[in-house]
Amino acid sequence: MTIYIDVVLIENLLMNYIILFATGVILKIPIKHIRLILASLLGAIYTIIAYISGLKIYSNFFLKLILSLVIIYIAFNPKSIKKLLKFTLIFYLTSFIFGGAAFALIYIVKPQEILQNNGLVLNANSLKVIFISAIIAFVIITIGFKVVKNKISAKDMYCDVKIKLNHKEIETKAMLDTGNFLKEPITNTPVIVVEHTLLYDCIPKEILNHLESILGGDFSEIPDNIKEEYMPRLKVIPFSSLGKQNGMLLGIKAEKVIIKFEEEEKENQNVIIGIYNKSLTKRGEYRALLGIELM
């Protein structure tokens, strides 16, 4: 079977693009097509070099891993190592589903002309296999994620939280927010976001009723005795959620927090309470948000 380099380039470019596009859809991040094309082209060029040279170095696991990290960086420009690794993991999972669908089709079709070299498989019907595999993979990914999402009921997302602050205790229902990685920037202490109205028994109303003024540097409404006691304890916590970009929360360290989830309790004495000056929900299903780290 005659293999044309330009055909192999186009086929791999298309295959890589589809996998990267699916990865972006799963991660729900903005997709820039030019970046995806450049990343896909890099992968396609690597495939051609690996096939033509036949050198075993190109099938080396670590070289492929480095290539994957570079491809993901070009395609999605992750802002941290953690995001880079997360994106790469989803990229591999998507590739495995895509590859599994492709090999299943090859097994079913059983093409007469098929070549294999350096871990790469080529056949005369590869373009058809790519398109059909993409459809099958998208269906599997979509159904799979819907099934997983449906398994996570509302009940699994809530827990009971007891907060001890200023020698007083309050209890509330909290929602487990898997996207909440909020921390106090100086000490890197995890933050639980709590509605300010829940804290009137623990923190003076003069502070809770003037959160925006305090964040703006205006302490004129705060009596001197309260100012002396509480100002050194308050923390400023930047956030970019809760419907606001580049916002700020006032926080105060709790004496301890007890989280009750599925008949188990976990106590933590290193938690900051972020004071939110609005309601988290319209119906009051929960009045606090906590991140997965605290679970």
Side-chain angles (χ1 to χ4, degrees):
M1 181 175 69
T2 304
I3 298 296
Y4 297 96
I5 297 299
D6 55 343
V7 175
V8 176
L9 179 68
I10 292 172
E11 288 177 348
N12 279 274
L13 177 64
L14 178 62
M15 180 175 63
N16 294 338
Y17 180 87
I18 293 172
I19 295 174
L20 287 169
F21 183 83
T23 302
V25 171
I26 293 170
L27 292 168
K28 295 182 179 180
I29 55 179
I31 294 174
K32 295 184 178 180
H33 297 285
I34 185 63
R35 298 187 71 97
L36 262 60
I37 291 172
L38 291 174
S40 302
L41 181 60
L42 175 62
I45 292 173
Y46 174 88
T47 300
I48 292 174
I49 295 174
Y51 190 86
I52 293 176
S53 68
L55 296 176
K56 290 185 178 181
I57 187 174
Y58 289 104
S59 62
N60 182 276
F61 169 77
F62 293 103
L63 183 59
K64 289 183 177 180
L65 178 60
I66 292 172
L67 176 69
S68 300
L69 293 171
V70 174
I71 287 174
I72 292 299
Y73 185 81
I74 294 174
F76 303 115
N77 190 29
K79 302 299 183 182
S80 66
I81 297 296
K82 183 182 289 186
K83 284 188 175 182
L84 176 62
L85 296 176
K86 176 185 175 182
F87 292 1
T88 304
L89 176 61
I90 299 298
F91 171 71
Y92 270 111
L93 291 174
T94 307
S95 301
F96 291 156
I97 296 173
F98 191 102
F103 274 102
L105 282 174
I106 292 173
Y107 177 78
I108 294 170
V109 175
K110 294 181 179 178
Q112 297 298 316
E113 292 185 318
I114 185 168
L115 292 178
Q116 183 172 355
N117 183 31
N118 211 12
L120 306 171
V121 177
L122 297 172
N123 69 81
N125 298 309
S126 55
L127 200 56
K128 294 179 182 178
V129 170
I130 288 173
F131 280 114
I132 299 175
S133 301
I135 295 172
I136 295 173
F138 263 112
V139 171
I140 293 173
I141 291 170
T142 302
I143 294 175
F145 272 82
K146 282 185 178 179
V147 169
V148 172
K149 187 177 180 180
N150 291 335
K151 289 291 183 182
I152 304 175
S153 65
K155 179 176 135 184
D156 297 324
M157 300 300 292
Y158 296 120
C159 61
D160 294 314
V161 176
K162 182 186 291 185
I163 300 170
K164 186 174 182 181
L165 183 62
N166 291 334
H167 308 293
K168 296 181 180 180
E169 289 186 351
I170 56 172
E171 293 189 41
T172 187
K173 186 76 70 176
M175 189 185 81
L176 175 61
D177 184 3
T178 56
N180 178 10
F181 299 100
L182 195 60
K183 293 185 178 182
E184 196 275 322
I186 297 177
T187 61
N188 208 34
T189 304
V191 176
I192 295 180
V193 180
V194 178
E195 293 179 4
H196 75 292
T197 53
L198 195 64
L199 301 171
Y200 276 114
D201 290 336
C202 304
I203 300 175
K205 62 182 181 180
E206 289 85 355
I207 291 178
L208 296 174
N209 292 340
H210 299 91
L211 295 173
E212 294 294 335
S213 299
I214 295 172
L215 285 170
D218 181 7
F219 305 99
S220 58
E221 302 292 334
I222 313 298
D224 290 339
N225 61 325
I226 294 177
K227 191 187 304 181
E228 290 176 6
E229 181 180 356
Y230 281 91
M231 288 303 107
R233 298 171 57 193
L234 293 177
K235 315 289 184 181
V236 177
I237 305 160
F239 71 91
S240 57
S241 59
L242 303 173
K244 186 176 183 179
Q245 296 294 322
N246 302 320
M248 293 288 180
L249 286 176
L250 274 183
I252 187 169
K253 189 171 182 180
E255 291 156 27
K256 71 176 178 180
V257 170
I258 299 174
I259 301 170
K260 301 178 183 178
F261 183 71
E262 295 183 349
E263 300 182 355
E264 293 186 7
E265 289 190 0
K266 182 177 181 180
E267 182 176 318
N268 196 319
Q269 297 181 349
N270 189 36
V271 179
I272 288 178
I273 305 303
I275 309 170
Y276 187 51
N277 66 346
K278 296 180 182 178
S279 296
L280 291 168
T281 64
K282 292 181 179 179
R283 299 179 181 177
E285 298 95 332
Y286 56 90
R287 301 182 70 185
L289 288 173
L290 58 90
I292 192 73
E293 180 180 340
L294 288 169
M295 299 296 290

